[in-house]
Amino acid sequence: MTHKNSSAYTISIMAILTAFLIIQSFIPMVGYINIIPGLPAVTTIHLTVIIGAVILGTRQGTILGLIWGIIALFRAYTSPGDPLSLLIFQNPIIAILPRVMAGMIAGYTFEHLYQTKIRKTGAMVFAGVFGALANTVLVILLTRVLYGHQAAGMYHTDPTHLIMVMLGFVALNAVMEAVLAAIVTPLVATPLLRFKRSR
């Protein structure tokens, strides 16, 4: 009976988080917040994937990352938010792989650190930060490898300097996303984990 309750809990939470991913992806200024027009948006949608990875585990976090990536790919073809997104997120590798790794790394980080002497809240903070950074760093690296010349043209720079330029543009976004994940992840995941254990 406990196994059935656990499976029902997992399915229910996955369904709710998937619905959140869809809502965040398509309702303006919810999952992607454009602060400066023409530049990549600040993402809040990664929080859903990271929280799912913490409360449900690495496998479910990876699945949520995959769902996010597929939605991002679809969104890039239907309603791209900025020129760079139009260029890079129509590539399935860039749209999906960083999102999958964000969920996987967040889940693995929490599970690994939770088994050490680090407190649960600390493990959640690290999971949030590493999950958020995994997405940003992989997007930058894959863009440099696959679209170096095109992206460099958008930023009016030499391809050899593209990573530094992109880092400059997205550094603020990355910091904001990582800090947000570090704060929100334990606030939301802690009560959900308690509810899970009480079942």
Side-chain angles (χ1 to χ4, degrees), residues 118-139:
I118 294 179
R119 296 177 58 185
K120 180 174 64 178
T121 301
M124 290 181 184
V125 169
F126 279 109
V129 171
F130 289 161
L133 290 178
N135 177 60
T136 302
V137 170
L138 278 174
V139 167

Side-chain angles (χ1 to χ4, degrees), residues 17 21 24 44-55 57 60-69 98-104 106-107 131:
L17 294 179
L21 289 175
Q24 288 176 296
T44 62
I45 194 170
H46 66 296
L47 298 172
T48 302
V49 173
I50 292 169
I51 290 168
V54 167
I55 64 175
Q60 282 71 27
T62 303
I63 293 172
L64 287 169
L66 176 62
I67 294 170
W68 176 21
R99 272 70 179 196
V100 169
M101 293 304 298
M104 182 183 297

Side-chain angles (χ1 to χ4, degrees), residues 126-163:
F126 279 109
V129 171
F130 289 161
L133 290 178
N135 177 60
T136 302
V137 170
L138 278 174
V139 167
I140 292 173
L141 291 178
L142 289 171
T143 299
R144 174 63 182 88
V145 171
L146 300 175
Y147 293 107
H149 289 282
Q150 295 97 315
M154 286 185 179
Y155 288 122
H156 306 290
T157 187
D158 188 274
T160 58
H161 300 141
L162 177 63
I163 284 189

Side-chain angles (χ1 to χ4, degrees), residues 3-189:
H3 176 71
K4 290 183 178 179
N5 287 341
S6 177
S7 298
Y9 173 87
T10 300
I11 292 171
S12 298
I13 297 299
M14 285 291 288
I16 292 170
L17 294 179
T18 299
F20 281 160
L21 289 175
I22 295 171
I23 291 170
Q24 288 176 296
S25 295
F26 292 103
I27 295 181
M29 302 300 285
V30 175
Y32 300 93
I33 302 174
N34 290 98
I35 298 177
I36 302 176
L39 294 183
V42 175
T43 302
T44 62
I45 194 170
H46 66 296
L47 298 172
T48 302
V49 173
I50 292 169
I51 290 168
V54 167
I55 64 175
L56 298 177
T58 302
R59 180 183 176 186
Q60 282 71 27
T62 303
I63 293 172
L64 287 169
L66 176 62
I67 294 170
W68 176 21
I70 293 171
I71 295 172
L73 181 64
F74 177 79
R75 184 175 180 269
Y77 278 96
T78 58
S79 55
D82 56 81
L84 185 62
S85 295
L86 178 63
L87 171 68
I88 65 176
F89 291 125
Q90 289 186 357
N91 184 314
I93 296 175
I94 301 179
I96 295 174
L97 181 60
R99 272 70 179 196
V100 169
M101 293 304 298
M104 182 183 297
I105 289 173
Y108 177 79
T109 299
F110 177 73
E111 290 175 1
H112 177 71
L113 293 180
Y114 193 38
Q115 296 174 359
T116 67
K117 294 182 179 180
I118 294 179
R119 296 177 58 185
K120 180 174 64 178
T121 301
M124 290 181 184
V125 169
F126 279 109
V129 171
F130 289 161
L133 290 178
N135 177 60
T136 302
V137 170
L138 278 174
V139 167
I140 292 173
L141 291 178
L142 289 171
T143 299
R144 174 63 182 88
V145 171
L146 300 175
Y147 293 107
H149 289 282
Q150 295 97 315
M154 286 185 179
Y155 288 122
H156 306 290
T157 187
D158 188 274
T160 58
H161 300 141
L162 177 63
I163 284 189
M164 294 305 298
V165 173
M166 288 186 69
L167 282 173
F169 276 123
V170 304
L172 179 59
N173 287 18
V175 170
M176 291 175 64
E177 290 169 5
V179 170
L180 190 63
I183 295 171
V184 174
T185 300
L187 287 177
V188 176

